[in-house]
Amino acid sequence: CTGDGASACGWRASHQHCKRLKMEPGVAEAASEEVLAEVELLRAMFSESELEVSHDGCNGETLIECALLPRTGGAALVRSLQAALRLSLSTTYPSTPPNLSLCRVRGLIDDEESQLLRRVSDLAAEMAGECCAYALIEAAQETLTEMNEGGDCPICREPLKADDEASGSNNAHIKAGTTTASTTANTTTASASPCAVFLSSCSHSFHARCLSHWWHA
């Protein structure tokens, strides 16, 4: 193609590339080859419901947001943590590490959120100069999985799992459904074992006995 025809061919090629990456045309036009390659990898590894990619036209950053869910392997849940990792890739990425933040956080308590973000940020610093978006998401996923396997009761500050229940085989699990907090607390008191764990609808976990005592205090 020559002249206007070449411009049209270039636009069609760019548009087809955008469709293949499932990105808006403006994202692919502004992003570097490194960013486009990372986005293509992430699209191959995560579903549309897990991954969102957009472009900030003001500063030229590519914004990636990926949902994080613990890998439970079918084990009985003691916690149900959720979060999303947000990465902002500048026009100088990968020379400049991505800016990182967490959003849509559920179930994390105390400094767990800052611990998760700090671990991923440290890895980003170590990988400065390398394409690292996928590695950072994987590290965040692994950290959330580790946190999901343990943690403390927010009320008594003791581990949710007793030492002799590390395998989880004896750990009763009660999950809040449509019942009211009062009804659930009463049920918990009557039927739960001493180390039973109550998983609330907001994804926070408590010793059932602690929650019952707190509710009736």
Side-chain angles (χ1 to χ4, degrees):
C1 298
T2 59
D4 292 340
S7 298
C9 288
W11 181 88
R12 282 196 295 271
S14 176
H15 187 64
Q16 289 300 319
H17 190 52
C18 294
K19 288 178 65 178
R20 182 161 60 88
L21 296 182
K22 298 180 182 177
M23 298 168 66
E24 296 179 358
V27 178
E29 291 168 5
S32 66
E33 287 298 319
E34 289 86 354
V35 171
L36 292 178
E38 288 251 59
V39 170
E40 188 167 13
L41 171 63
L42 295 175
R43 289 294 188 194
M45 300 303 296
F46 300 98
S47 67
E48 290 185 33
S49 62
E50 295 173 313
L51 187 73
E52 294 181 13
V53 181
S54 59
H55 179 68
D56 187 338
C58 296
N59 54 26
E61 290 185 337
T62 298
L63 307 177
I64 298 173
E65 186 175 305
C66 188
L68 307 174
L69 292 173
R71 299 185 177 106
T72 62
L77 290 176
V78 173
R79 307 181 73 184
S80 182
L81 306 182
Q82 299 177 39
L85 181 65
R86 182 177 293 160
L87 306 90
S88 299
L89 310 184
S90 70
T91 54
T92 57
Y93 174 86
S95 298
T96 303
N99 290 321
L100 304 170
S101 60
L102 293 174
C103 58
R104 293 186 278 145
V105 177
R106 291 172 63 90
L108 293 172
I109 62 171
D110 296 335
D111 62 344
E112 287 181 330
E113 186 173 341
S114 60
Q115 288 178 17
L116 172 57
L117 191 58
R118 183 166 57 251
R119 185 176 297 187
V120 181
S121 297
D122 288 346
L123 179 60
E126 292 175 13
M127 297 185 68
E130 303 178 46
C131 292
C132 59
Y134 177 70
L136 298 181
I137 292 172
E138 279 295 292
Q141 194 92 278
E142 291 173 5
T143 302
L144 197 70
T145 298
E146 292 173 9
M147 291 179 170
N148 198 66
E149 294 172 351
D152 298 336
C153 171
I155 298 174
C156 71
R157 303 298 181 179
E158 295 294 329
L160 289 167
K161 285 185 177 181
D163 290 340
D164 59 352
E165 292 181 322
S167 64
S169 58
N170 297 319
N171 194 41
H173 173 224
I174 299 176
K175 183 175 181 179
T178 57
T179 56
T180 64
S182 178
T183 302
T184 304
N186 287 331
T187 302
T188 299
T189 303
S191 61
S193 65
C195 292
V197 174
F198 179 94
L199 177 58
S200 70
S201 58
C202 61
S203 298
H204 287 92
S205 297
F206 308 85
H207 288 135
R209 183 171 58 183
C210 294
L211 182 62
S212 178
H213 288 169
W214 174 84
W215 181 262
H216 293 289

